[in-house]
Amino acid sequence: MDLAVRVSFLLLVLLGYCEGQPGEDRGADDVNSVVKPAEDIGATILRMNNGSTEMLVEGDLLFPKTRNAMKCRNKQYSCLWPKSRNGYVEIPFTLSEKYDTAETYTILNAMKGFEPQTCIRFIPRRNERVYLSIEPKYGCFSLLGRIGDKQVLSLQKFGCIANGVVQHELLHALGFFHEHTRSDRDQYVRINWDNIKSDYLQNFKKMDTNNLGTPYDYSSVMQYGRTAFGISRKETITPIPDPSAPIGQRTGLSAIDIIRINRLYNC
């Protein structure tokens, strides 16, 4: 079935259903029971990407060394998705026909979650040169920011199809790093280096990010959980000054995630 037809049909189903606040689960995890109730988004993504042959940074990033949407280093190419004359940031996408109806519904619902409080709009591709190609490859991963031409965003079946995971990868595609690698993270979390698997130490390297004047967000959909990349699930990320503070979640966009989107894209 043509993508535009599939999307139109499912959007009719979504009308009236997606009027809740962004960040609500909206039952997405009921579609895919592989996501464990006690498992945060980071744990799900790391589990799904275990064994991937892709060169991934921080667990799920295909990282271009020349640019990123937060601080674009390529002056000849915008790392941000452009704003249309209608004031929206329209991001063309294609969706693999390998996804079944329930999976397609979950992905589109996660995309719709950006609409109530941001100017981001994911639209079916017509003939745009630069677009997201959402495919069920091995694992959950994305490039960082707008890179150019066909840009694959992987959402593996039976593991990655959950509201929070989809929105996490879409935020990477918009240009956002993980929260635990932001430039000022040492003021808010302690990285327990001795508890990290040796092959994954580079995943905790701080990035030269523009934090957009927003506070560190333990509840961001981009925040990995306490035991990310840990040896025998030892704690690798500890909140400070309160080590018992909640960290990581599995639902979707937080209030600060929404603020950052609006500031980065001048919504």
Side-chain angles (χ1 to χ4, degrees):
M1 185 185 299
D2 180 76
L3 174 61
V5 176
R6 294 167 63 204
V7 171
S8 297
F9 170 77
L10 286 167
L11 288 180
L12 286 174
V13 178
L14 286 170
L15 284 176
Y17 180 68
C18 297
E19 297 300 322
Q21 294 297 317
E24 293 177 349
D25 198 326
R26 302 193 186 99
D29 291 340
D30 293 337
V31 176
N32 194 333
S33 60
V34 173
V35 180
K36 303 174 183 178
E39 189 174 63
D40 61 68
I41 289 172
T44 299
I45 291 172
L46 296 179
R47 174 169 55 81
M48 293 305 299
N49 290 352
N50 185 31
S52 173
T53 58
E54 300 287 350
M55 297 297 293
L56 300 177
V57 176
E58 297 179 23
D60 68 334
L61 267 177
L62 287 173
F63 182 53
K65 296 181 179 179
T66 56
R67 53 186 179 265
N68 69 72
M70 291 298 211
K71 287 189 175 181
C72 188
R73 295 178 176 86
N74 189 330
K75 297 181 179 179
Q76 296 181 340
Y77 189 92
S78 174
C79 304
L80 296 177
W81 296 87
K83 185 172 286 187
S84 302
R85 285 179 291 181
N86 60 16
Y88 293 125
V89 176
E90 296 182 334
I91 302 175
F93 73 93
T94 59
L95 194 60
S96 172
E97 292 188 355
K98 293 180 181 179
Y99 293 116
D100 63 26
T101 300
E103 292 164 340
T104 299
Y105 177 90
T106 298
I107 294 169
L108 294 178
N109 190 35
M111 289 178 167
K112 290 288 289 184
F114 285 77
E115 295 187 9
Q117 297 186 58
T118 80
C119 60
I120 303 298
R121 299 293 184 270
F122 294 95
I123 61 171
R125 182 193 182 218
R126 296 179 292 271
N127 56 5
E128 293 88 353
R129 180 179 64 85
V130 183
Y131 66 98
L132 288 180
S133 177
I134 302 174
E135 306 173 14
K137 291 183 176 292
Y138 188 100
C140 332
F141 59 83
S142 172
L143 285 161
L144 186 69
R146 178 178 179 267
I147 305 305
D149 300 331
K150 178 181 177 180
Q151 185 165 325
V152 173
L153 186 154
S154 174
L155 295 170
Q156 184 179 338
K157 296 162 69 75
F158 312 117
C160 300
I161 312 300
N163 188 73
V165 175
V166 176
Q167 290 187 341
H168 179 105
E169 298 306 335
L170 289 172
L171 276 176
H172 280 320
L174 286 172
F176 291 93
F177 283 105
H178 294 121
E179 194 74 354
H180 74 275
T181 63
R182 59 183 269 169
S183 58
D184 62 350
R185 63 103 186 276
D186 291 336
Q187 302 175 47
Y188 306 100
V189 295
R190 181 178 70 250
I191 304 302
N192 304 309
W193 297 99
D194 291 341
N195 294 344
I196 301 170
K197 297 176 182 177
S198 59
D199 290 342
Y200 298 100
L201 291 170
Q202 72 275 11
N203 295 330
F204 290 83
K205 178 182 177 182
K206 285 190 292 186
M207 296 297 179
D208 182 21
T209 57
N210 173 1
N211 299 317
L212 301 165
T214 60
Y216 193 96
D217 184 13
Y218 300 110
S219 65
S220 171
V221 76
M222 306 307 286
Q223 172 66 61
Y224 275 0
R226 293 176 179 274
T227 62
F229 305 101
I231 300 170
S232 301
R233 295 192 58 79
K234 290 182 179 179
E235 186 166 294
T236 58
I237 306 174
T238 303
I240 53 177
D242 181 7
S244 64
I247 183 171
Q249 48 106 334
R250 63 192 291 270
T251 304
L253 298 174
S254 72
I256 295 178
D257 287 331
I258 292 168
I259 291 171
R260 287 176 185 156
I261 294 169
N262 289 332
R263 290 185 181 180
L264 183 62
Y265 281 92
N266 296 314
C267 293

